[in-house]
Amino acid sequence: MHADPTPTEPLCAALRADLTAAGYTAAAVRAAWGAVPDDAIGRGLIGPALTALAARDDALAVLARLLFLGQPTPVTVADRALPTLTSRGLVDLGLARIDGDDLVPTALVRPQDVDDEQGSGHWWIASDLDEAARGGALPVDHVLGVGGASLTLAGLQLTAPADRVLDVGCGCGIQALRARRVAEHVTATDISRRALAFTELNVLLNGQGGVQTRFGSLFEPVVGETFDRVVSNPPFVITPRVAGVPAYEYRDGGMAGDALVESFVTGVAAVLAPGGVAQLLGNWEYRADADGLERVREWVGRAPVPLEAWIVERELLDPLSYAELWVRDGGTTPGSGEYARLIDAWLDDFAARGVTGIGFGYLLLRRPASGTPTLARYERIAQPVPGALGPHLTEALAAWDRLTAMDDVALAASTLMVAPDVTEARHHAPGEEDPRVIELRQGGGFARSLEVDPGLAALVGACDGDLPVGVLIDAIADLLDVDAAALRADLLPRVRELIFTGFLALP
């Protein structure tokens, strides 16, 4: 164990001033060491970046070595790069120690780009030294910096304004900062006091207010309170509950199997205000007698307050691949005896529950504002997604609510527009006039691709915001020489799906 950060407003303001003066942004740092070293850093290799910066002693290069790569730096050099804070101030913040003539970082402070509907900018995010900076395995109280999962969840967050948001398992605070861009008040909780200290530091470092931290597990710190939105990148990693397997606080919630995600799903309704939405990442087990998504559906059904659910499974791993992923994540070297021992522990744990696979994906849960739940989608979407999904999810929920209030007569009277990112592809055999396959492809959202028949393709192609859907269907029925009523009954349910998924838009 090691000392926690000790943030204060004056010290964080001084560090912010020095980082700003040095131009310490993600783009500037990447430009300083170049494309190949930047790619190497993504693979845990910092040597090329250190080589690229070796001849430079300007403030940007010094801070990149010290705070991005976690390398000791002479105190005199660090003081020139941190003229407002100084080396002593970095020590007082709990982010470094002085060893002889060197300032030795005990944490990283890395720039992070911000680009969403509120605009573009950047943050600085402090977290513990990573494996490359440490030169070895991580301690169990490690506080993770910004990684792939945290960026994914930040991009999933709904973009509509909110009053109160709860961040469960806040870690270094990236989700709390993202939520604060649309919310008046954010409460961030964690079972790690060290994580809470990093969140407090990052909030102050980025000049934010309106974020309160609380210590505790899941919803215990906010019993009796409700929120408009709950967001969580919880410690969902399935870890064997046996001696000798490290229990990393940032990824292990201390429960067996996928019980942590189950507890979140069954308990979150108690802290959601009517109309409130919870979003999280999670794992769920496939077992010999149970499909993984069906198990999640059963969890939702056991919530004490009825919930709407949109669950998207993005990946399915076999037990060995899952074990290897998380043993490597902890810094254990493949091929070593320790690596083999940990893999065996994971496989034994899975075998004891009859686990055949582990799903990973996104969970969106909503407490209906009134009435009974109407949204229940459990789907598997494996294709790459082109960008942040928050705007798409926000639009999809709004579309769902409008569609729920519309009967088929109202829908037929509506005018629709084809979304600007939708394209059509037609596949013909050589020499044939009529296509064998017609596909609609979505450039944004979940990048869905749908095979459609000529009737639906004609309707989508004619949706230009001019004529009502019913009029278009009648015209298509005449063109195809089919019964208009039957065509309406066939197309209108599929039009509802196209509106929800973002191919078509209501005015």
Side-chain angles (χ1 to χ4, degrees), residues 316-327:
L316 179 61
L317 294 179
D318 62 81
L320 176 58
S321 297
Y322 188 88
E324 289 184 312
L325 171 67
W326 293 111
V327 172

Side-chain angles (χ1 to χ4, degrees), residues 27-79:
V29 169
R30 291 192 182 101
W33 53 50
V36 172
D38 196 60
D39 183 54
I41 288 171
R43 305 181 189 197
L45 303 170
I46 63 175
L50 290 173
T51 299
L53 298 177
R56 292 180 53 172
D57 62 358
D58 56 287
L60 176 64
V62 171
L63 293 177
R65 285 192 294 264
L66 177 70
L67 298 179
F68 199 112
L69 303 177
Q71 299 303 294
T73 301
V75 169
T76 55
V77 174
D79 283 342

Side-chain angles (χ1 to χ4, degrees), residues 153-172:
L153 182 59
L156 285 169
Q157 286 199 41
L158 299 183
T159 56
D163 181 29
R164 304 188 71 217
V165 175
L166 172 64
D167 177 9
V168 178
C170 59
C172 69

Side-chain angles (χ1 to χ4, degrees), residues 216-276:
S217 178
L218 287 176
F219 312 111
E220 293 172 359
V222 293
V223 171
E225 301 178 57
T226 58
F227 298 83
D228 305 302
R229 203 161 297 155
V230 178
V231 62
S232 183
N233 182 12
F236 58 76
V237 175
I238 299 168
T239 306
R241 306 256 68 85
V242 296
V245 175
Y248 296 104
E249 290 179 348
Y250 73 89
R251 72 183 202 191
D252 178 12
M255 300 183 186
D258 52 18
L260 187 282
V261 178
E262 177 185 3
S263 295
F264 192 105
V265 171
T266 57
V268 71
V271 299
L272 281 175

